[in-house]
Amino acid sequence: MWRSDVLDEAWKRVKRNRGSAGLDSQTIAEVEQYGVERFLEELADVLRAGEYRPSATLRRYIPKADGKQRPLGIPTVRDRVVQMAAKLVLEPIFEADFLPSSYGYRPKRSQTMALEALRKLGYQHQHVLDADIRDYFGSIDHDKLMKLVARRVSDRRVLKLIRQWLEAGVMEDGEVRSTMTGVPQGGVISPLLSNIYLHVLDLLWSRHSSHLGTLVRYADDLVVVCKTKQQCEDAERDVRKYLARLGLELHPDKTRRVELYDGKQGFDFLGCHLRKRVSGAILEREGKRKYFLQRQPSQRAMKRIRQKVRDATPRGRCHADLREVITGLNPILRGWGAYFGTGNAAKSFNQIDSYVHERLRSLRVKRAGRQIEARTASTWTREYFWTLGLHRLRGTVQYPEATQYRWHESPPASRVRESRKHGFYGGRMETRRCDEGK
């Protein structure tokens, strides 16, 4: 781990991730000013001599979607580099064990892959266990975690490092507090450790409960997709049992069983709302009702992007150069669109395009004042702002892959033409034609 090439790569990744200073207030820029090569050489010497001791993490809070605060533990730059070096060494070892049901914070796996897996499962499955683990990162048992790590790692120096990071404590309100359980969210090594811990759930499910349904997990966010109501109930029972062995429990208010059949209910996962809807393409072409599990930005995701747009276009900027305002908006729109642009998000994209147009037009109206002419205001259309370089979300939806569904050589059915009107409810196929009586 103290090899120069490992530490050099660890530094590059830490720098690329940026991040704020930890307890010692040392920033990445200050390390560069001090000398990166000198910094890494000194760090290698400390690690080689066994004299490395991590600092406590700095406690910070960020708002959660439900209005509560999420605690973060920010390590120092020095600790982040060592944690990244450990991750580079340990990750391939545990990747050999991790199961396909786990998608979070793993090489060559992503949120989109998890969402696509759910889309495909929606063809034959009608019930979902939408599970939420109560305070997962704060409830991880250190001793159990270390035993799981020690199954694959025998080097006592590495095990000692991990134990030190877990017990380093947090600085909050000027006081260092010890941590008996949990891993700090914000630590470089934390996602890997959290995956190691929940790998027990993946393993137990694959061995004893896979007949009930398919587990899809992204870090501590997980759903189980089942074919019947009874399987969904049994799946919840088994998940609770397996989590209890880890000292974890499901959140009683946020865990629920969802019935997809007939589009009765939907569920949120990884920022998307998933619900079965009728394919307008098949309905129009063949007169048959075929339902597919589709996804679009959740209400929370829509609320957050509107807030970001609102923050970037305050009324006080009405006298600023409009191109500068648009330059600040475009990265927000591109990033949001890139994530949600792989689902059925055309309607949501149009709504956000309209909202952005309203905000920019209001800046123009505010600048013009009361003497504004109707003829002038009518020229501030969407196209006007697009010519100034505004990023357009409409028309940017792209799909990771085409569905394998074929019905009388129909084109991909779940990839419905977004401009058409689609039924809101779905969940089963009805073979009657549109002109038949209801």
Side-chain angles (χ1 to χ4, degrees):
M1 190 161 45
W2 54 73
R3 278 171 32 187
S4 60
D5 58 333
V6 175
L7 288 176
D8 185 61
E9 178 62 24
W11 163 256
K12 290 178 181 178
R13 296 194 183 191
V14 169
K15 180 183 177 181
R16 186 165 60 243
N17 293 338
R18 294 179 292 182
S20 57
L23 189 60
D24 61 359
S25 301
Q26 186 181 45
T27 64
I28 291 176
E30 290 175 347
V31 172
E32 292 179 319
Q33 186 177 6
Y34 178 77
V36 174
E37 185 175 351
R38 178 184 171 188
F39 171 79
L40 295 180
E41 287 178 355
E42 293 176 355
L43 189 54
D45 292 339
V46 172
L47 287 170
R48 191 179 296 109
E51 299 174 354
Y52 168 80
R53 297 293 182 274
S55 302
T57 58
L58 186 62
R59 176 71 80 208
R60 289 289 183 266
Y61 292 91
I62 59 173
K64 296 174 63 176
D66 58 5
K68 297 181 180 180
Q69 296 289 314
R70 184 189 304 278
L72 296 181
I74 304 176
T76 63
V77 175
R78 175 174 174 267
D79 290 339
R80 294 208 295 269
V81 172
V82 179
Q83 288 187 21
M84 182 63 77
K87 180 175 180 286
L88 291 172
V89 174
L90 296 176
E91 189 172 62
I93 298 174
F94 289 98
E95 271 296 315
D97 296 335
F98 290 159
L99 299 180
S101 57
S102 171
Y103 292 87
Y105 306 109
R106 295 181 57 191
K108 300 182 180 180
R109 297 181 77 80
S110 66
Q111 293 168 311
T112 300
M113 292 175 67
L115 292 167
E116 277 294 286
L118 290 176
R119 178 181 68 83
K120 295 174 184 178
L121 289 167
Y123 297 157
Q124 303 291 334
H125 298 72
Q126 307 297 346
H127 296 268
V128 171
L129 171 63
D130 181 13
D132 182 273
I133 302 176
R134 187 203 292 266
D135 188 24
Y136 171 62
F137 285 92
S139 303
I140 294 177
D141 186 286
H142 290 175
D143 291 333
K144 292 180 180 178
L145 174 59
M146 291 306 302
K147 289 179 180 178
L148 293 172
V149 175
R151 288 181 181 180
R152 298 289 274 129
V153 178
S154 59
D155 192 321
R156 293 184 179 181
R157 291 169 295 182
V158 175
L159 295 175
K160 181 181 178 182
L161 273 179
I162 296 175
R163 174 71 75 171
Q164 287 176 339
W165 287 324
L166 293 175
E167 298 178 351
V170 295
M171 171 67 79
E172 186 173 11
D173 298 330
E175 179 183 352
V176 176
R177 301 175 182 176
S178 60
T179 51
M180 304 304 295
T181 60
V183 296
Q185 295 188 66
V188 175
I189 199 72
S190 297
L192 176 59
L193 296 179
S194 67
N195 272 334
I196 293 171
Y197 203 66
L198 277 185
H199 175 63
V200 175
L201 170 65
D202 301 341
L203 200 59
L204 290 173
W205 182 268
S206 66
R207 289 178 178 176
H208 307 295
S209 304
S210 57
H211 63 283
L212 297 175
T214 303
L215 172 67
V216 177
R217 182 176 67 81
Y218 191 94
D220 60 326
D221 292 327
L222 63 98
V223 296
V224 180
V225 187
C226 309
K227 291 185 177 180
T228 68
K229 182 178 180 180
Q230 185 60 51
Q231 287 178 338
C232 193
E233 293 175 355
D234 293 343
E236 181 177 356
R237 177 203 63 205
D238 285 2
V239 169
R240 289 183 183 276
K241 179 175 62 177
Y242 300 149
L243 290 179
R245 294 177 61 172
L246 294 169
L248 304 172
E249 62 178 348
L250 292 179
H251 197 294
D253 299 326
K254 298 180 180 180
T255 298
R256 65 192 187 107
R257 294 189 295 271
V258 179
E259 186 175 351
L260 299 176
Y261 190 73
D262 261 357
K264 292 180 180 178
Q265 296 175 312
F267 64 99
D268 290 351
F269 186 63
L270 300 180
C272 294
H273 181 73
L274 295 95
R275 182 187 290 267
K276 283 201 171 183
R277 304 178 191 275
V278 69
S279 168
I282 293 179
L283 181 63
E284 179 178 316
R285 183 175 57 255
E286 303 175 17
K288 303 181 188 300
R289 294 181 179 274
K290 181 69 179 178
Y291 295 90
F292 294 89
L293 188 61
Q294 299 183 6
R295 65 179 183 268
Q296 63 190 57
S298 66
Q299 291 185 1
R300 288 180 177 177
M302 295 290 285
K303 182 178 180 180
R304 284 196 294 268
I305 186 63
R306 287 192 178 99
Q307 183 61 51
K308 289 182 179 180
V309 171
R310 191 157 50 246
D311 293 341
T313 56
R315 292 172 63 86
R317 298 195 68 184
C318 62
H319 295 289
D321 187 340
L322 195 57
R323 288 184 174 84
E324 292 183 4
V325 177
I326 290 175
T327 300
L329 267 175
N330 281 344
I332 299 173
L333 297 175
R334 286 196 184 97
W336 190 81
Y339 179 72
F340 290 105
T342 60
N344 308 86
K347 182 178 179 180
S348 300
F349 279 17
N350 285 338
Q351 291 174 350
I352 298 303
D353 277 343
S354 297
Y355 184 73
V356 172
H357 170 243
E358 292 173 4
R359 294 294 300 181
L360 293 177
R361 188 176 184 278
S362 69
L363 293 182
R364 277 300 197 198
V365 172
K366 175 69 174 178
R367 180 173 182 174
R370 296 181 179 179
Q371 305 303 320
I372 184 174
E373 297 181 359
R375 182 185 304 174
T376 302
S378 66
T379 64
W380 296 330
T381 61
R382 289 188 181 190
E383 289 74 13
Y384 169 78
F385 296 110
W386 291 338
T387 59
L388 295 179
L390 177 66
H391 178 70
R392 176 170 56 181
L393 291 172
R394 191 181 70 182
T396 61
V397 175
Q398 296 180 351
Y399 302 105
E401 60 183 74
T403 178
Q404 299 300 312
Y405 171 77
R406 292 293 181 271
W407 188 285
H408 300 306
E409 299 182 353
S410 302
S414 66
R415 301 322 189 191
V416 292
R417 206 173 289 171
E418 295 280 0
S419 59
R420 296 175 176 171
K421 294 181 179 179
H422 310 304
F424 185 74
Y425 299 103
R428 63 181 176 187
M429 184 178 70
E430 299 180 9
T431 56
R432 66 186 180 190
R433 301 191 62 84
C434 297
D435 54 357
E436 292 180 0
K438 296 184 179 180

